[in-house]
Amino acid sequence: MTVTATDSASGLGRHGFRNLKAVNWNLGAAALYEEAVRRGEGHVAKNGPLVVRTGIHTGRSASDKFVVRDALSESQVWWDNNKPMSPAHFDALHADMMAHAEGRELFAKDLFGGADLTHRISVRVVTEYAWHSLFVHQLLIRPSAEELKGFDPEFTIIDLPSFNADPARHGCASQTVIAVNFTKKVILIGGTSYAGEMKKSVFTIMNYLLPAKRVMSMHCSANVAANGESAIFFGLSGTGKTTLSADASRTLIGDDEHGWSENGIFNIEGGCYAKVIRLSREAEPEIFSTTERFGTVLENVVMDPASRELDLNDATLAENTRAAYPIDYIPNASATGRAGHPKNVIMLTADAFGVLPPIARLTPSQAMYHFLSGFTAKVAGTEKGLGKEPQPTFSTCFGAPFMPRHPSEYGNLLRALIAEHQADCWLVNTGWTGGAFGTGSRMPIKATRALLNAALDGSLSHAEMRIDPHFKFRVPVAVPGVDSAILNPRDTWADKAAYDLQARKLVGMFRENFKKFEAHVGPDVLQAAPDLVEAAE
């Protein structure tokens, strides 16, 4: 069994492994490159990134994720959203995966989740592939040499892509499985090579542990101004979460997962996992530059085998092409991953129905309502099977697949933190104006940035506001540098009656979706629901 100078104080036997051919402990990026290439797992592209393929799974397998239902998790987990697995099925799965691992060479990485030293967790990630070990090396927080001495993991993630689960024996849905056991503090991943399952497993752990300590876990990006005022950006894919938080005048704390504790906000990760399909040097220069660096892992990106040139516009292998890289590859990234309590909370949506204004100010109760709703809309071209009409997406807390607890726990905690720290809350619509998708046009990014800057610098808080007749939040009447007509969506529609009909349609969708939360929130949040107004005057 091979080890390195940074070998952990305890071996893999404690996790159930036996008769292994070798274990590579805490290898650095260069050594993992060598192993990945030696084993035929990837290729080095021009300028140095490692290009890999994830096989048939080019994204998360949400239908294959399970949580062990036992005495500990029974009352803690939101079972309407999480599929249960019995302890017996998990034990059988674990035993079979250990047997599958015998005689193999594995990679072990000891890492941290959470930049807040009070609330971080220690995680050991054991992988079958060298490139998976490189992925988590870049995505999580790397301990110092001193911290690696006697490293004692609180949680363990075991990822064996070549293992195929048996639904009858393991209580799962297919040969692919992601099984989370909060009691044993073990996560098992099999039958998929998509590395994002490991990243989101750590986020799932934090979403389970942190709220019990009155620490908010959030699917959001975050940045901070030179004066120390930070902002968080909630949003689903396609709403601009990564783009709008990348601001050269502000320091990036992180692009995807954060916590909000008594100490302020903190990045859960140590790296970024950016979509790179059709990425351009002109539109996203900082992210684009990471695709030309040694240490970046590129998933399912097409590469010319002779010249090793990348084609980021080619979606032959996947629409969900990704780059995984350390956050310090972004020039203005935070060195600590921490900042003070947020001054502004931004909730991003891409309303393809053309109803929501480009920005609105929310009360704490309205913020909780829209946080629990987690609304955006998908349009044709973003996913297979979508027709011409926009399709609403309500992903509670802007991250339902990773939420073990009931959404009301996160919502109540967020509302309390907003009130305690007097944060300003904003709903920003990066979707359509002048009509729905197919008729209207995408909200100008210049207008969105101007409105966002006015919110972040505090000037928008003093602007004249109107009350939206449907959603009841406050909307600015005029903002310097922004066409006032765009601030009232109804005014941008040529057919005002068509807008009123579309607005009632969207309000109905919100109200129908929120029925499942009505018994779990207070009267103030219920009153924050939009109204079915006959017509907007």
Side-chain angles (χ1 to χ4, degrees):
M1 186 175 293
T2 61
V3 297
T4 71
T6 54
D7 181 24
S8 176
S10 57
L12 293 189
R14 63 182 285 192
H15 306 297
F17 289 98
R18 59 189 182 274
N19 302 323
L20 296 175
K21 178 182 178 182
V23 179
N24 298 282
W25 284 98
N26 293 315
L27 298 186
L32 289 169
Y33 256 72
E34 289 183 358
E35 290 298 319
V37 173
R38 179 179 68 83
R39 295 154 62 101
E41 296 175 3
H43 300 278
V44 180
K46 182 180 179 181
N47 299 315
L50 183 69
V51 178
V52 299
R53 296 188 181 184
T54 64
I56 60 171
H57 294 287
T58 59
R60 291 181 300 101
S61 299
S63 61
D64 293 307
K65 183 177 180 180
F66 295 83
V67 176
V68 174
R69 190 169 194 163
D70 57 20
L72 176 67
S73 64
E74 175 64 43
S75 62
Q76 303 291 320
V77 171
W78 179 32
W79 295 111
D80 289 346
N81 186 63
N82 292 272
K83 294 183 176 183
M85 174 180 282
S86 72
H89 279 135
F90 181 88
D91 289 345
L93 176 64
H94 182 261
D96 289 350
M97 289 183 74
M98 294 301 97
H100 181 80
E102 289 193 46
R104 297 178 185 272
E105 180 179 6
L106 301 180
F107 297 83
K109 290 293 298 186
D110 291 333
L111 300 155
F112 291 120
D116 186 318
L117 302 184
T118 306
H119 301 291
R120 72 182 182 184
I121 61 167
S122 54
V123 183
R124 175 164 294 160
V125 186
V126 183
T127 63
E128 181 178 1
Y129 295 163
W131 82 262
H132 274 186
S133 197
L134 176 62
F135 176 92
V136 293
H137 173 85
Q138 306 295 47
L139 261 292
L140 295 180
I141 297 173
R142 297 176 291 280
S144 65
E146 188 64 30
E147 289 170 329
L148 280 175
K149 295 178 181 178
F151 187 94
D152 187 20
E154 183 178 357
F155 275 82
T156 306
I157 297 172
I158 299 170
D159 190 340
L160 304 178
S162 67
F163 175 84
N164 291 323
D166 179 350
R169 176 169 167 76
H170 303 131
C172 50
S174 72
Q175 291 184 329
T176 299
V177 65
I178 302 96
V180 182
N181 192 321
F182 289 120
T183 298
K184 294 190 172 183
K185 299 185 176 182
V186 174
I187 296 179
L188 303 175
I189 303 171
T192 173
S193 297
Y194 183 67
E197 298 288 9
M198 295 181 290
K199 160 190 160 70
K200 288 306 182 187
S201 290
V202 175
F203 190 40
T204 299
I205 293 168
M206 297 298 261
N207 286 334
Y208 179 77
L209 296 178
L210 293 181
K213 301 195 290 182
R214 203 177 177 273
V215 178
M216 182 69 188
S217 53
M218 306 174 292
H219 187 209
C220 69
S221 58
N223 62 26
V224 60
N227 64 3
E229 291 186 349
S230 65
I232 53 179
F233 300 77
F234 291 101
L236 300 171
S237 179
T239 59
K241 178 163 58 78
T242 299
T243 299
L244 292 173
S245 62
D247 184 335
S249 67
R250 298 170 69 89
T251 298
L252 179 69
I253 302 169
D255 78 330
D256 196 40
E257 301 169 4
H258 292 82
W260 185 355
S261 74
E262 70 277 13
N263 305 314
I265 59 174
F266 61 92
N267 196 353
I268 288 175
E269 301 180 301
C272 301
Y273 193 35
K275 287 189 73 170
V276 295
I277 189 68
R278 291 177 287 277
L279 188 72
S280 73
R281 191 186 303 275
E282 295 70 31
E284 302 279 1
E286 293 181 339
I287 298 176
F288 188 92
S289 70
T290 69
T291 68
E292 301 177 320
R293 292 193 62 168
F294 176 88
T296 295
V297 179
L298 295 175
E299 291 181 338
N300 303 313
V301 171
V302 173
M303 178 190 75
D304 185 284
S307 68
R308 300 300 174 102
E309 294 271 2
L310 302 174
D311 186 352
L312 299 180
N313 295 315
D314 192 334
T316 302
L317 298 176
E319 181 74 20
N320 187 36
T321 58
R322 295 270 180 172
Y325 50 89
I327 195 168
D328 60 17
Y329 280 17
I330 302 297
N332 63 329
S334 167
T336 65
R338 301 187 293 271
H341 299 288
K343 172 63 177 173
N344 288 280
V345 175
I346 314 295
M347 297 185 187
L348 300 168
T349 183
D351 173 25
F353 296 94
V355 171
L356 295 176
I359 197 166
R361 190 172 187 179
L362 307 176
T363 66
S365 298
Q366 289 170 338
M368 182 175 176
Y369 182 90
H370 286 278
F371 179 70
L372 291 178
S373 296
F375 167 73
T376 192
K378 296 177 182 178
V379 297
T382 60
E383 285 192 10
K384 293 180 180 179
L386 291 178
K388 295 181 179 180
E389 290 295 315
Q391 297 297 314
T393 297
F394 292 95
S395 183
T396 187
C397 308
F398 296 97
F402 326 115
M403 300 297 168
R405 296 179 178 274
H406 193 277
S408 61
E409 289 194 49
Y410 307 102
N412 282 318
L413 181 52
L414 179 65
R415 181 178 61 170
L417 288 167
I418 288 170
E420 180 180 342
H421 300 287
Q422 300 181 325
D424 291 328
C425 301
W426 308 91
L427 183 70
V428 174
N429 173 27
T430 61
W432 273 254
T433 181
F437 170 76
T439 302
S441 57
R442 195 72 191 257
M443 199 73 69
I445 184 66
K446 185 178 179 181
T448 299
R449 284 202 177 276
L451 292 168
L452 189 57
N453 288 338
L456 295 177
D457 69 21
S459 61
L460 198 57
S461 298
H462 307 292
E464 180 186 354
M465 300 274 183
R466 67 176 178 85
I467 303 297
D468 185 272
H470 295 284
F471 285 85
K472 299 183 289 190
F473 40 46
R474 288 173 290 170
V475 181
V477 174
V479 177
V482 178
D483 181 3
S484 295
I486 206 173
L487 297 173
N488 190 335
R490 191 172 189 263
D491 290 346
T492 67
W493 283 54
D495 186 340
K496 303 297 189 284
Y499 170 84
D500 294 335
L501 184 64
Q502 187 83 319
R504 283 177 54 82
K505 179 180 176 182
L506 183 59
V507 166
M509 293 175 183
F510 266 87
R511 293 175 69 92
E512 181 63 29
N513 171 73
F514 205 78
K515 285 181 179 178
K516 58 180 173 286
F517 302 128
E518 289 177 351
H520 302 279
V521 299
D524 60 318
V525 178
L526 293 176
Q527 291 169 8
D531 290 332
L532 289 167
V533 181
E534 284 301 324
E537 296 300 329

